[in-house]
Every structure is written in structure tokens, then in C-alpha cells.
Amino acid sequence: MRIGVVFPQTEIGADAGAVRAYGQGVEALGFRHVMAFDHVVGADPEVHRGWRGPYDVRTTFHEPMVLFGYLAALTSLELVTSIIILPQRQTALVAKQAAEVDLLSDGRLRLGVGLGWNQVEYEALGQDFTTRGRRIEEQVALMRRLWTEPSITFEGAFDKVTGAGLAPLPVQRPIPVWFGAYSPRAYRRAGRLADGWFPQMSPGPELDEAKAIVDEAAAESGRDPASLGMEGRVGWTGSAEELAELARRWREAGATHMAVNTMGAGLGSVDEHLAALETAAETLGLRRD
């Protein structure tokens, strides 16, 4: 099981030096990948009365593709979006950005995608919130063609490409696409289309039920369920024993990857995040540089 970290989007602030210190710090501790969440804009609660989303206009988010272009030059970490809200973005542009990050990182991008929940953000980006489920399926098919063919012609319900292509193509052809999923429909979509998926729960009966749906959909589509990756996420609570136990449970559940998330743990600086991750690395037996 490959162990990575969740980039502390909402707590790291706007200092580029802090981003550099974090990326190089987690690599030195022996973590294998860094995962970043995505939000382009936040809603203003003064305008959107009764706003109940977990993030708002004051919550910091670095743009993942630009962030990863920066980290590609500073580290050898695998770069993971978890997730890019794909249907609120232009398909060909995401494919181009992903190809560039993959090229600059020498094939270290894993593109996690999902539907998102924020209608305010969809509106700001000029996209239709109500068609996002159908659109993401078409988008993934189109991106995979753009990453593997020098020139394509494609006409779907949402995108049209006529005799066009990306140059340069990415190192990985195609780039691995993983899905965020938290409903039976999303589990089936992941099983049919994804290279891997990100469960939104801890190991236990709920995960077992979700994984069974993913595996069944994969098999029905003529795919080997064992070929799909699965990445668990563990929130840091300050307890090394709890972390070790959750890591054990994720391994037993069949996870191929796991990420340690230090956001929301009351850590006030990059140094504090790295200190927590140092304890996590020791607990998990990671090999330092």
C-alpha cells in the first residue's frame, strides 16, 4: 500500500515558500504522493444566505494543476488530484493541463475527478450543474482519446472536436483517471470507467458494500475488478495508535493507496503539519531520504 498525504489546502496559506517547504518536507519523510482538493471559487455567505457548504469565499484553495506544475520541479512525488471537479471545466483544457503536468513531472500525475456539489461554482464557470453526471462520462472518454491520439474527431452531447489534438502528448498514454464516489450510481460509474476510486468512508460494512458495487460494475463491463486501485484517507487525530489501526484496516480492505490528512487537526503552521506527519511516517514505517 502506497502512503501519501493530503495537501493542507485550507490551512497552508498563500506563501509559495510554505508550499515548497511542505512538498519537500513530506517527500523527505518518505511519503510517496501528495493529494490536492479542488475549488476554483468560494461562495460568499453574505450573498448566499443560509450557506451550509464546508468552504466559503474566505477558504484558501491553490489551483491543483498550477500547484502541481510547481511541485513537479521541486519533488519526485506522485501528484494526485482528489478531486478535480471535471464537469465544471472545459474538457480539452483539462486534458491539456493534465498532459502538461504529466510531462513536466515525467509521468507522475494521477487525475482524480468527480462531480462536485457547489452550484455557485458551476454558475461562475458557466457550466450546467444538472448534467454533470452524464457529462463526466463523456469527458473521460474524450480525454483518453486526446492523451493517446495525435488528432481526433469527436462529437458527443457536450463536446465537439474536429480534426484536432494535443501536442505534446503526455508521458502516460493515457493518464490514470480515478473517480471520487459516494453513491451507488457513482460506485457503478467508477467500476465501469475508472482506473481507481476514492472511497469517502472508513473501512467497515459501508465500504464493503460500496466496493462490492464497484467490483460488480467492473465485472459486468468486462473489466478485472482487481485491476482497479482504491485509496483510503485517514485524518490525523494526534494518536499514532489510531493511525496504525486505520492503516491496518485499509490494507485488509484491499486499499492500494492511503493518504494521511492533517487538515482540521488544529495545526497552525507548516512546521506543525510536518511534525505531525513525521510522527505518522514513523508510525507507518516509512523510509526517509
Side-chain angles (χ1 to χ4, degrees), residues 164-183:
L166 306 179
L169 292 173
V171 173
Q172 302 179 96
R173 303 182 188 176
I175 293 167
V177 178
W178 287 43
F179 281 26
Y182 195 45
S183 71

Side-chain angles (χ1 to χ4, degrees), residues 2 4-5 7 12 16-35 64 66-80 101-109 274 289:
R2 296 170 64 96
V5 297
F7 181 77
I12 200 166
V19 174
R20 179 177 63 250
Y22 180 85
Q24 293 177 335
V26 297
E27 181 175 29
L29 290 171
F31 291 96
R32 305 286 295 278
H33 61 278
V34 59
M35 172 188 295
V66 178
L67 172 70
F68 285 169
Y70 181 63
L71 289 176
L74 297 172
T75 76
S76 59
L77 294 164
E78 183 186 24
L79 307 168
V80 186
V101 171
D102 195 64
L103 186 71
L104 294 175
S105 66
D106 195 25
R108 288 184 278 121
L109 177 65
L274 290 175
D289 288 347

Side-chain angles (χ1 to χ4, degrees), residues 81-262:
T81 60
S82 178
I83 47 82
I84 287 287
I85 305 167
L86 186 58
Q88 69 184 18
R89 295 176 177 236
Q90 295 168 295
T91 311
L93 181 57
V94 174
K96 178 68 174 179
Q97 291 171 318
E100 186 70 7
V101 171
D102 195 64
L103 186 71
L104 294 175
S105 66
D106 195 25
R108 288 184 278 121
L109 177 65
R110 180 159 37 110
L111 187 68
V113 300
L115 302 183
W117 50 267
N118 190 341
Q119 297 188 51
V120 172
E121 193 168 30
Y122 268 82
E123 178 188 65
L125 292 167
Q127 300 299 330
D128 185 354
F129 184 80
T130 65
T131 62
R132 65 196 190 283
R134 288 186 292 120
R135 186 166 183 235
I136 198 171
E137 299 194 15
E138 180 179 300
Q139 288 180 293
V140 170
L142 174 54
M143 288 195 305
R144 284 175 169 152
R145 289 195 61 191
L146 286 166
W147 291 329
T148 55
E149 302 174 39
S151 175
I152 74 165
T153 294
F154 177 96
E155 185 166 1
F158 305 97
D159 283 293
K160 182 176 182 179
V161 180
T162 305
L166 306 179
L169 292 173
V171 173
Q172 302 179 96
R173 303 182 188 176
I175 293 167
V177 178
W178 287 43
F179 281 26
Y182 195 45
S183 71
R185 179 176 293 181
Y187 302 147
R188 287 190 289 271
R189 184 182 295 119
R192 288 189 290 108
L193 300 175
D195 296 302
W197 65 297
F198 303 102
Q200 303 300 304
M201 72 285 283
S202 296
E206 188 180 4
L207 175 65
D208 294 342
E209 182 179 344
K211 190 174 185 300
I213 297 172
V214 172
D215 290 351
E216 180 181 42
E220 289 175 351
S221 300
R223 311 175 69 206
D224 179 5
S227 69
L228 274 65
M230 181 175 72
E231 175 143 2
R233 190 182 307 156
V234 176
W236 175 251
T237 65
S239 169
E241 293 78 12
E242 185 175 339
L243 174 65
E245 172 62 15
L246 280 169
R248 181 191 65 78
R249 291 173 60 195
W250 274 114
R251 286 191 182 93
E252 291 180 352
T256 55
H257 300 69
M258 188 186 83
V260 180
N261 182 13
T262 54

